Amino acid sequence: MERFANRYRDGVVIACGGDGTVLSIGNLVMYTSLIFSILPLGTGNDLYSGLYGKRSIADQLHHIFVGATAPTDAIFIPEIDQYVLNIASVGLDAAVVEAANSFKDRVKLFQKYAYMVSIPSALKGGTAFHVNIKAKLGQEVLMVEPSP
């Protein structure tokens, strides 16, 4: 990451892919002055949809070239030494994503149906667990702990 940041200081980086690609490239550009843009070419594009709704690729390219930006949250998760952007999934949603990624690795055909087909297998597994969340809003630290 440091090598990338030292080599590329100015310009625009466009993540062409889905949420996984956006997450990987987002972590590379986190401490740079690069402008980070998304071109939604993935299966789900959940982050993109959350930020821009149903904006078309052509419209997104226009926004990139005119320099229009939208803020998003970056959430640092120390256990994996990584940032997540705007979305952090836990529980059933995370189990579905994990099953979908496994499905995509095994079955190269029908990639766009991976999430749909993975819901039943995720429902079979145990997805209930407790999560403690510590968030910082400005200088204030917020704690969210599950009830017993």
Side-chain angles (χ1 to χ4, degrees):
M1 215 178 323
E2 216 174 284
R3 213 171 82 198
F4 180 88
N6 289 336
R7 185 169 181 191
Y8 302 102
R9 297 195 182 277
D10 300 318
V12 177
V13 173
I14 302 173
C16 301
D19 292 339
T21 303
V22 171
L23 175 67
S24 297
I25 295 174
N27 272 275
L28 284 174
V29 300
M30 191 59 65
Y31 293 105
T32 70
S33 58
L34 293 164
I35 296 168
F36 179 55
S37 301
I38 304 169
L39 199 57
L41 301 175
T43 308
N45 302 307
D46 293 328
L47 175 62
Y48 180 84
S49 299
L51 291 172
Y52 307 113
K54 296 191 181 290
R55 183 187 288 176
S56 70
I57 291 176
D59 195 26
Q60 177 66 355
L61 283 169
H62 170 75
H63 279 80
I64 291 169
F65 287 117
V66 299
T69 61
T72 187
D73 295 318
I75 305 160
F76 184 69
I77 301 178
E79 290 80 5
I80 59 172
D81 192 30
Q82 229 182 36
Y83 283 90
V84 295
L85 303 174
N86 209 47
I87 300 169
S89 297
V90 296
L92 180 60
D93 184 49
V96 171
V97 169
E98 185 177 19
N101 288 338
S102 175
F103 178 85
K104 286 180 183 181
D105 289 342
R106 290 188 327 269
V107 182
K108 297 303 177 197
L109 199 58
F110 308 118
Q111 295 274 315
K112 69 180 185 177
Y113 301 109
Y115 294 96
M116 208 170 15
V117 222
S118 299
I119 293 171
S121 67
L123 286 170
K124 283 188 228 171
T127 57
F129 55 89
H130 293 285
V131 177
N132 294 325
I133 299 173
K134 181 178 175 183
K136 192 172 183 182
L137 180 61
Q139 295 302 314
E140 184 182 358
V141 175
L142 311 168
M143 290 292 293
V144 178
E145 295 183 30
S147 54

